[in-house]
């Protein structure tokens, strides 16, 4: 198959809700990018084959239902900068309910994300492994689009992140650090994905 698209993204973890809200309240909203409430459902094998090899298969429910496969992680030597295969696209809304009841229906879906799953892992048996909610707020700074995420886990705990897609991570890092310094924000490079954070909370990943 053709080369798979990649997502290049710098991520920072924000240490507290007040710091997160200070960013959201201090930066201008992105025009025509309304806040998004997203529920993310994850699928894997019983042995967590995908998750243990930096893979992820997700159905995201928002204004539409989006099927996504990712594989990869943090680029060595660049803390918080993730360089991953990302293949995604909308699917029919009924697929979500079908997949939660019978996960292997996903592998029969004629979708580029599933083509990538089969390319990397072959025929596997899927099951739901968890979900989390994301409230995404879009902000602008120096021409960059910041995705400011408030993540809520099933146990009610929350985490806060800022993500920026970029091909120049160190320039973007300097810009983010300027924002954090000017606003008095406590933040550090995010070293794992949202799914990895969920599985770490559940004791499945170290």
């Amino acid at each position: 198959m053709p080369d798979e698209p990649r997502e290049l993204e710098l991520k920072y973890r924000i240490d507290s809700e007040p710091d997160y809200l200070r960013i959201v309240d201090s930066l201008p909203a992105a025009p025509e990018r309304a806040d998004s409430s997203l529920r993310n459902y994850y699928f894997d094998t019983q042995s967590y084959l995908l998750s243990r090899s930096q893979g992820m298969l997700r159905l995201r429910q928002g204004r539409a239902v989006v099927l996504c496969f990712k594989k990869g992680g943090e680029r060595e030597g660049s803390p918080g900068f993730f360089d991953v295969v990302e293949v995604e696209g909308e699917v029919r809304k009924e697929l979500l309910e079908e997949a939660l009841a019978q996960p292997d229906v996903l592998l029969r879906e004629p979708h580029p994300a599933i083509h990538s799953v089969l390319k990397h892992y072959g025929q596997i048996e899927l099951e739901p492994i968890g979900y989390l909610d994301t409230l995404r707020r879009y902000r602008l700074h120096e021409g960059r689009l910041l995705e400011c995420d408030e993540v809520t886990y099933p146990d009610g705990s929350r985490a806060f992140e800022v993500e920026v897609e970029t091909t120049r991570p160190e320039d973007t890092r300097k810009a983010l650090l300027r924002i954090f310094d000017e606003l008095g924000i406590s933040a550090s490079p995010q070293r794992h994905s949202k799914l990895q954070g969920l599985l770490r909370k559940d004791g499945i990943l170290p």
Side-chain angles (χ1 to χ4, degrees):
M1 64 185 296
D3 289 344
E4 295 160 302
R6 303 192 74 84
E7 178 187 57
L8 304 174
E9 192 169 58
L10 182 63
K11 304 182 183 187
Y12 267 76
R13 179 175 62 85
I14 309 303
D15 287 351
S16 70
E17 182 178 15
D19 280 358
Y20 168 79
L21 292 176
R22 196 172 303 126
I23 296 171
V24 169
D25 293 340
S26 299
L27 298 179
E32 301 182 2
R33 298 297 293 268
D35 295 352
S36 299
S37 295
L38 308 166
R39 173 154 285 192
N40 306 276
Y41 295 92
Y42 298 98
F43 299 84
D44 206 334
T45 67
Q46 187 177 31
S47 63
Y48 297 93
L49 174 64
L50 277 68
S51 302
R52 296 184 190 280
S53 58
Q54 295 189 317
M56 181 213 74
L57 182 62
R58 177 187 70 205
L59 279 169
R60 170 172 279 173
Q61 183 182 35
R63 294 181 181 88
V65 176
V66 176
L67 178 61
C68 179
F69 170 71
K70 293 188 182 186
K71 185 170 175 59
E74 187 181 60
R75 183 181 288 181
E76 186 175 355
S78 188
F81 183 57
F82 285 72
D83 180 355
V84 304
V85 168
E86 181 187 54
V87 186
E88 66 176 1
E90 288 189 25
V91 293
R92 52 192 175 85
K93 292 185 177 180
E94 299 81 5
L95 183 61
L96 175 57
E97 184 176 349
E98 294 171 9
L100 291 173
Q102 188 178 351
D104 283 340
V105 71
L106 289 173
L107 297 179
R108 299 193 293 272
E109 193 71 12
H111 191 281
I114 298 304
H115 298 162
S116 287
V117 171
L118 295 174
K119 170 188 172 181
H120 289 276
Y121 294 100
Q123 287 292 334
I124 52 178
E125 293 186 9
L126 293 173
E127 59 181 50
I129 60 165
Y131 72 91
L132 55 81
D133 294 314
T134 303
L135 174 57
R136 175 163 289 174
R137 298 174 168 104
Y138 298 93
R139 296 295 183 265
L140 292 177
H141 181 264
E142 297 181 354
R144 296 178 175 88
L145 180 65
L146 278 60
E147 297 176 349
C148 303
D149 288 351
E150 177 181 337
V151 180
T152 303
Y153 295 100
D155 65 2
S157 62
R158 291 183 296 163
F160 305 94
E161 299 179 354
V162 171
E163 305 177 348
V164 185
E165 291 194 18
T166 179
T167 58
R168 303 181 64 175
E170 297 315 312
D171 288 346
T172 302
R173 188 188 311 280
K174 291 175 183 176
L176 288 179
L177 292 177
R178 283 197 300 271
I179 298 172
F180 300 154
D181 183 60
E182 290 168 5
L183 297 178
I185 303 299
S186 179
S188 58
Q190 178 62 279
R191 313 305 294 267
H192 53 265
S193 69
K194 292 179 177 67
L195 173 59
Q196 289 168 339
L198 174 64
L199 296 180
R200 290 175 69 184
K201 288 176 70 67
D202 291 342
I204 294 163
L205 293 181

